[in-house]
Amino acid sequence: MDLIFASLEILARWDVVLALLVGSVGGVLIGAIPGVGPAVAIAILLPATFSMDPIVGLTVLLGIYGSSMYGGAIPAILINTPGTAVNALTTYDGFPMTARGEARRALSLAYSSSFFGGVFSVICLILFAPVLARIAPLFGSREIFLAALLGIILVVVAHRGQSLIAAALACFGIFLNTVGLEAVKYSKRYTFDQSFLSSGIDLIVVVLGLFALSQAFFLLQGEDEKTRITKLKGGLFQGLRELGRHPRVAGVSASFGVLMGMIPGVGEFTAQFLSYTYAQKSSKRPDDFGHGSSEGLIAAETSNNAVPAAAMVPLLALGIPGEALTAMMLSVFYVHNVVPGPQLFQNDMPFVVALYLALLILNVIVLVFLLFATNQLIKVVKIPNRFLGVCILTLSFVGVYSLRNSATDCIIAAVFGLIGFVLKRLSLPAVPIILGMVLGGIMEVKLRAGMARVKTPFDFIERPVSMILFLMILGVLFIHFRRVWLDRKELKQEKWSTKHSSTTFGAHLSRRRDYLLTERGKKLRAKRSMLSRRSTDKN
C-alpha cells in the first residue's frame, strides 16, 4: 500500500491532472478523425513534451496512446471508416449494427469493451509489478542486447509476407543510427565530411517525417469526402449491461491483449485476430460474426485496448520499445535522463506504478467523457481531409524546427516524409525503420559493454536469462523459416496441381479434337465418294 500511496502522491499535482485531461480527451478527438491517428499526434507533440517533467510529458502521450482507440471506434461504427488502423476490425460488426439502426447500442458496447480491456490490463500489470522488479536485476548488458535482438526479429517476422522488406527497413534504421559521432571514441561515421551529419540523424526528425509529414502528403493528394451522420438518440449506458452477459469473451480477449502487448513487435492486430477467432469458434451463433455480432465487437475492442498498458512492460523493464509509439515515448525518457530498464524498477518503482495508475484513471475519464459527449464528438468526422493535411504539415514543420532551430532538420524531415509517403502507397511498413534506429543504438551500447567480459562466444549465453533469450531467438527463427518453407511447399503443390489439372484437361481436349477430326474426315471422305458416284451415274 505504501507503494500505491507514493505513486498517487506523484499524480496529485495540478499539471499531471491537467495532462491527464488533455491527453485523454485529446486522444479521443484524434482517434475520431479518420486519417490522423495517435502516431501522427504523438510525433507532433514530442518536441513540446521535452520541456515538461517526465511524468507530465509521458502522461500526455500515454493519454493519447490509450484513448485514441476509443475515438477510433466512432467513425468505424457510424460510417464504416476506422479512425485508427487498429479499429479496422471494429467495422466488421459495428457498421452492420448501424445499418440495422443499432448505432447507439454498438457505440455503447464498444466503449464498455474498451474500458474493460484497458482496466483489466492495468490491474494485471500493477499486480505483476513486484514480480518485474525482482526479475529486472537479472538483466545485464548481454541480456538486454539479446532482448533487443529478439525485439527486432519479432518485428521482422510479424510482417508476414513482407519479412524481407521489413528486415531491410530495420537494417536501414540501424544504419541511420550509426551516422554521426560514435559514443566511445567519437570517430565520425558516414558523415561524408558534411558538418550537419556530425550530430547524427535525430530520431524525432525521422519520426515526424515518416509518420506526420507522410500522412499530410497522403491527405493532401486525396479528395475530400462528404459524410452524413444522424444524431444519436437515447443514453449510452446499455453497453455496460450487455458486456456483463459475455464475461468469457471479454476476459479471454483482454488476456490476449495483455500477452500480445508484452511481446515486442506483435501488438494490437495479432491480439485482435486471436480474440476474434476465439470468440467466433466458441460462439453459439458463429454465423452472426461479420454481420453485427455483439461478441465480435466485444472481442475486437477489448483486445486492442488491453495492449497499450501491456506494451509499456518491455519499455519500462528493459528499455526496449515494441512499436513506433513506445519508441517515441522512449525519447522522452532519454531527454530527461530517465533510463528505462532494470535500474528503474529497482530505484524508482513509485514512478512506474504512477504511470500505470495514470493509464487506469484516463480510462475512467475517457468513458465518462464519451458517455455524455458522443453526439457533439461525432461532428469531427466531417473535417475535410485536405484541411487536416495542411494543419498536420504546418504543425510538423514547426515541431521539427523547434528541436534545434535548424532548417536542415526540416529538409531531412521532408525527405523522410517522401519516403514514408512512398511506403504508404506501396503498402510497406515504416515501423521497422524507427525500431531499427532505437534498438540498433541499444544493441551497439550493450554489445560493447557485454563484450568486455566475454572471451568465447559461449560466455555470452552462459547465464540463465541470456540462455533463455538465445533459445527464444532460435525458436522464433525456426518457427518462421518452417512457416516460410511450408508456405512455399503449399504454393508449389498448388502450382503443380494447377499445371497437372490443366495438362490433363488439355490432353482430354486434344484427344477429343483428334476424335472429332477423325469423324469429320470419315464424313468428308464418305461425302466425296457419294458425289463421285453421282457424277459417274450422270455420265
Side-chain angles (χ1 to χ4, degrees), residues 29 132 150 296 313 435 443 448 468 473:
L29 292 170
L132 293 173
L150 176 62
V313 172
L435 294 182
M443 289 169 62
R448 283 184 165 181
I468 292 172
I473 291 172

Side-chain angles (χ1 to χ4, degrees), residues 236-444:
L236 291 168
F237 292 91
Q238 68 182 50
L240 294 170
R241 295 190 297 270
E242 189 169 358
L243 180 68
R245 293 198 288 268
H246 303 284
R248 176 182 49 80
V249 174
V252 173
S253 300
S255 300
F256 275 129
V258 171
L259 292 174
M260 296 301 106
M262 293 174 66
I263 302 174
V266 180
E268 295 91 348
F269 292 105
T270 306
Q272 282 184 316
F273 173 76
L274 293 174
S275 302
Y276 196 84
T277 303
Y278 167 79
Q280 186 175 21
K281 290 185 176 179
S282 60
S283 175
K284 297 179 180 178
R285 304 175 64 181
D287 294 336
D288 290 348
F289 281 69
H291 300 89
S293 170
S294 58
E295 292 176 282
L297 187 58
I298 290 171
E301 284 296 307
T302 303
S303 57
N304 67 23
N305 222 56
V307 170
M312 297 297 292
V313 172
L315 177 69
L316 295 174
L318 303 175
I320 296 172
E323 56 175 353
L325 297 177
T326 48
M328 297 180 201
M329 293 180 196
L330 184 62
S331 62
V332 180
F333 282 98
Y334 288 158
V335 165
H336 295 284
N337 294 320
V338 178
V339 181
Q343 297 299 321
L344 184 63
F345 274 78
Q346 286 182 296
N347 303 329
D348 204 357
M349 196 63 189
F351 178 80
V352 176
V353 178
L355 289 177
Y356 288 142
L357 290 177
L359 277 170
L360 183 64
I361 295 169
L362 78 87
N363 276 282
V364 177
I365 294 173
V366 170
L367 181 65
V368 174
F369 172 71
L370 284 172
L371 289 177
F372 291 99
T374 297
N375 275 321
Q376 288 71 34
L377 186 62
I378 59 178
K379 296 177 182 178
V380 302
V381 177
K382 299 181 180 181
I383 298 177
N385 290 340
R386 291 180 180 176
F387 176 76
L388 284 175
V390 172
C391 292
I392 293 171
L393 196 67
T394 304
L395 293 173
S396 298
F397 277 122
V398 170
V400 171
Y401 187 79
S402 66
L403 288 172
R404 296 184 289 193
N405 296 329
S406 171
T408 305
D409 284 345
C410 293
I411 296 173
I412 295 173
V415 171
F416 280 99
L418 292 174
I419 294 173
F421 177 73
V422 172
L423 292 176
K424 281 180 181 292
R425 294 302 299 265
L426 296 176
S427 299
L428 297 177
V431 174
I433 298 177
I434 302 300
L435 294 182
M437 289 187 69
V438 175
L439 296 179
I442 295 172
M443 289 169 62
E444 181 182 6

Side-chain angles (χ1 to χ4, degrees), residues 455-495:
K455 296 181 180 179
T456 65
F458 293 101
D459 293 340
F460 209 85
I461 55 173
E462 63 179 353
R463 293 191 289 199
V465 176
S466 59
M467 175 61 73
I468 292 172
L469 290 170
F470 179 70
L471 293 176
M472 289 175 66
I473 291 172
L474 292 181
V476 169
L477 290 174
F478 173 76
I479 293 172
H480 174 67
F481 286 116
R482 183 175 180 273
R483 186 176 64 188
V484 171
W485 179 74
L486 289 175
D487 289 344
R488 289 188 176 183
K489 184 179 179 181
E490 184 179 353
L491 182 62
K492 286 182 179 180
Q493 287 179 347
E494 289 180 0
K495 287 183 177 179

